[in-house]
Amino acid sequence: MYPEMPKMITPMMNNTDDAADNANLHLTAAFLADYASLLLGCGATCIRTEKNTRRMAGALGYGFDITILPTHVYVWIWRADVARRYMAVRKTAACGISFHLNALLSRLSWEVADNHLDFPTAVRRFKSICDTPPTGKLEVLLLTSLANASFCRLFGGDVIAMLIVFFSTLLGYKLKQIMLEEGCDVRFTFLCASFFSATFSAGGHIFGIGNTPEIALGTSVLYLIPGVPYMNAVSDVLYRHYLCAFSRFIDAAILTACLSAGLCAGMLILGMKWF
Amino acid sequence: MTLNAILISVFEDGLFAAIAAIGFSSISNTPRRAYFTCGLIAAIGHSIRYVLTLPDCTGMHIILASGMSSFAIGVLAVLLASRIKCPAEVCFFPALLPMIPGMYAYRTIEALLSCLYYSQEETFAYYFHQLAYNGLTCTFIVLSMVVGATIPVFLFKKLSFTATR
């Protein structure tokens, strides 16, 4: 799930005089690249990734630079007294958004900077963070369903609409969990989950249950809106990381298009006159 | 609307916003210790927007009200993040989610498909108007929300980036 360490390191200018020093630079570059890759993958903004990694490199006694691209991260480190630079490149970790990991990794960077953790301890802490389990699936399923039902209420839905939204979210989100576990494409998963939720909640519209069936139908797919990538995109724009901002925005827009398509397909199959 | 009715509506609005924020934050694997703070910030932010848009109070436009309440959410997130040792984004991202203009987005898609479905000029013009109105409102609400919440992080940069220290 998370990157293993260390992997590929490319020495830019090779000097074999000091093998131990070279090895340290190799390992540190690999560690920092893995750290940055995981932090980006778990949904941190570019500015946070840059600041945290720079903080750790500084505390470990190295000069540092980073290039963040939409799917890769390049880390460069060097010693002030030696004209040698080392680069490590990693693909952004595909671990899904996790604020828990984000918080733990940010804390690790401060521990390295403030408590002067030595390199092996920092690596050990990092590996234990990589093994952090995600929130329980049942807990997420129930909380998300409750959240979407509350969302329906905020938009003016009645109690029956809230119940419809609760169950349609429960079914749609469960389908999303199963499909992602099976390794299905995330866009196809969003389309299917949206279709499933919309079809279920359209029952209120078709059978005339409750006074606000259109709100139930409209709200039933909103749990799929990728809010975090949209907000990260704006944050990246503010800090002039335009490439990553654009990439995050397009990713989120494609997922939004998929959930809209699922909603429309549900309407079409049920023979509803669109809306 | 009487003061009592307004207070009850504000409480109800805050309560459902808090539940929505906690639920949506769980999708992003938010640490459990942050749930209460996320819910509290969401409740305060959403209630501020609700009060600002009430015709009996200020009757402010939803775009401006969203920007102002998001700014409040951003400030609260920056201030409270260090208490739970989490980055500010962990607090304000979930708190913003209940303010996402889902119904405007839904009506935009509805209008878009209706534009494709109806070819008569008058009906088409009506749905095209709906498409532009809902689409623009939705876009500007989201922009004002995100910019409003990000400004405090930008202004109090040192505080924002030392929350996990």
Side-chain angles (χ1 to χ4, degrees), chain A residues 2-26:
Chain A
Y2 302 123
E4 289 171 15
M5 349 176 5
K7 281 182 185 165
M8 188 196 81
I9 303 165
T10 309
M12 298 308 288
M13 291 178 64
N14 205 355
N15 184 342
T16 52
D17 290 349
D18 191 348
D21 191 41
N22 282 352
N24 280 342
L25 278 162
H26 279 170

Side-chain angles (χ1 to χ4, degrees), chain A residues 43-45 47-48 51-52 55 95-104 106-107 109-110 114 133-136 139-141 143-144 146-151 153-155 162 173 176 214-215 217-219 222-223 225 227-228 230-232 234-235 238-239 260 263-264 267 273-275, chain B residues 12-17 19-33 35 46 49 84-90 92-94 96-103 105-107 109-111 113-114 117-118 142-143 145-147 150-151 153-154 157 160-165:
Chain A
T45 55
I47 184 70
R48 180 167 298 282
K51 274 180 178 286
N52 286 6
R55 184 182 303 134
C95 58
I97 291 167
S98 170
F99 285 139
H100 194 197
L101 278 182
N102 186 344
L104 290 173
S106 297
R107 201 180 305 163
S109 75
W110 280 113
D114 290 346
T135 313
E139 180 185 334
V140 176
L141 184 65
L143 284 175
T144 308
L146 264 178
N148 217 23
S150 302
F151 218 15
R153 182 78 183 99
L154 288 174
F155 291 135
M162 284 174 75
Y173 199 84
K176 183 186 162 194
E214 76 288 350
I215 292 180
L217 182 59
T219 319
L222 293 183
Y223 68 94
I225 286 184
V228 175
Y230 276 126
M231 288 187 252
N232 273 342
V234 176
S235 171
L238 287 178
Y239 289 99
S260 304
L263 175 71
C264 297
M267 304 295 97
K273 196 179 150 192
W274 288 116
F275 293 89
Chain B
E12 194 185 332
D13 191 78
L15 178 71
F16 285 115
I19 297 171
I22 293 170
F24 289 133
S25 72
S26 72
I27 299 177
S28 311
N29 290 300
T30 301
R32 283 201 187 93
R33 65 177 182 282
Y35 281 175
H46 210 277
R49 186 172 84 165
I84 51 166
K85 297 279 177 202
C86 286
E89 301 98 280
V90 174
F92 80 71
F93 280 6
L96 284 180
L97 291 179
M99 296 214 300
I100 282 181
M103 288 314 289
Y106 172 74
R107 286 183 195 127
I109 296 169
E110 172 189 6
L113 293 173
S114 301
Y117 191 78
Y118 296 105
V142 172
L143 270 179
M145 270 168 54
V146 181
V147 172
T150 315
I151 285 172
V153 178
F154 201 73
K157 211 182 272 185
S160 310
F161 289 103
T162 53
T164 51
R165 195 170 195 172

Side-chain angles (χ1 to χ4, degrees), chain A residues 156-179:
Chain A
D158 58 13
V159 178
I160 292 172
M162 284 174 75
L163 273 174
I164 291 172
V165 170
F166 179 85
F167 286 109
S168 64
T169 308
L170 200 75
L171 292 171
Y173 199 84
K174 186 64 196 169
L175 179 70
K176 183 186 162 194
Q177 285 180 332
I178 292 169
M179 289 183 74

Side-chain angles (χ1 to χ4, degrees), chain A:
Chain A
M1 185 177 181
Y2 302 123
E4 289 171 15
M5 349 176 5
K7 281 182 185 165
M8 188 196 81
I9 303 165
T10 309
M12 298 308 288
M13 291 178 64
N14 205 355
N15 184 342
T16 52
D17 290 349
D18 191 348
D21 191 41
N22 282 352
N24 280 342
L25 278 162
H26 279 170
L27 289 173
T28 309
F31 168 65
L32 291 175
D34 282 329
Y35 175 89
S37 151
L38 184 57
L39 195 55
L40 267 179
C42 74
T45 55
C46 288
I47 184 70
R48 180 167 298 282
T49 306
E50 191 180 329
K51 274 180 178 286
N52 286 6
T53 320
R54 185 180 299 282
R55 184 182 303 134
M56 289 210 295
L60 294 169
Y62 295 110
F64 169 84
D65 211 348
I66 188 168
T67 302
I68 301 172
L69 292 175
T71 55
H72 288 82
V73 59
Y74 292 76
V75 164
W76 308 76
I77 63 165
W78 63 88
R79 291 185 71 97
D81 54 338
V82 184
R84 259 198 316 261
R85 287 183 173 218
Y86 286 88
M87 179 187 75
V89 58
R90 291 287 183 275
K91 197 170 167 55
T92 306
C95 58
I97 291 167
S98 170
F99 285 139
H100 194 197
L101 278 182
N102 186 344
L104 290 173
L105 289 169
S106 297
R107 201 180 305 163
L108 174 65
S109 75
W110 280 113
E111 280 174 353
V112 171
D114 290 346
N115 302 343
H116 306 291
L117 287 189
D118 57 356
F119 182 67
T121 314
V123 173
R124 229 178 7 256
R125 291 269 176 95
F126 177 70
K127 282 183 173 172
S128 73
I129 290 173
C130 291
D131 295 333
T132 307
T135 313
K137 282 183 182 160
L138 186 65
E139 180 185 334
V140 176
L141 184 65
L142 289 175
L143 284 175
T144 308
S145 306
L146 264 178
N148 217 23
S150 302
F151 218 15
C152 174
R153 182 78 183 99
L154 288 174
F155 291 135
D158 58 13
V159 178
I160 292 172
M162 284 174 75
L163 273 174
I164 291 172
V165 170
F166 179 85
F167 286 109
S168 64
T169 308
L170 200 75
L171 292 171
Y173 199 84
K174 186 64 196 169
L175 179 70
K176 183 186 162 194
Q177 285 180 332
I178 292 169
M179 289 183 74
L180 289 179
E181 255 175 55
E182 294 296 321
C184 294
D185 182 81
V186 68
R187 291 159 291 191
F188 182 61
T189 304
F190 267 58
L191 198 147
C192 292
S194 160
F195 172 78
F196 209 59
S197 292
T199 311
F200 183 86
S201 62
H205 214 287
I206 291 170
F207 300 112
I209 306 167
N211 297 319
T212 52
E214 76 288 350
I215 292 180
L217 182 59
T219 319
S220 63
V221 296
L222 293 183
Y223 68 94
L224 289 166
I225 286 184
V228 175
Y230 276 126
M231 288 187 252
N232 273 342
V234 176
S235 171
D236 286 347
V237 166
L238 287 178
Y239 289 99
R240 304 202 291 183
H241 282 277
Y242 299 122
L243 269 181
C244 288
F246 185 70
S247 163
R248 288 193 213 252
F249 180 80
I250 295 295
D251 275 347
I254 287 171
L255 290 181
T256 310
C258 289
L259 79 89
S260 304
L263 175 71
C264 297
M267 304 295 97
L268 193 67
I269 283 176
L270 287 175
M272 292 174 71
K273 196 179 150 192
W274 288 116
F275 293 89

Side-chain angles (χ1 to χ4, degrees), chain B residues 18 51 54 88 94-95 112 116 118 128-129 150 162:
Chain B
V51 171
L54 269 182
L112 174 71
L116 298 173
Y118 296 105
F128 197 70
H129 168 263
T150 315
T162 53

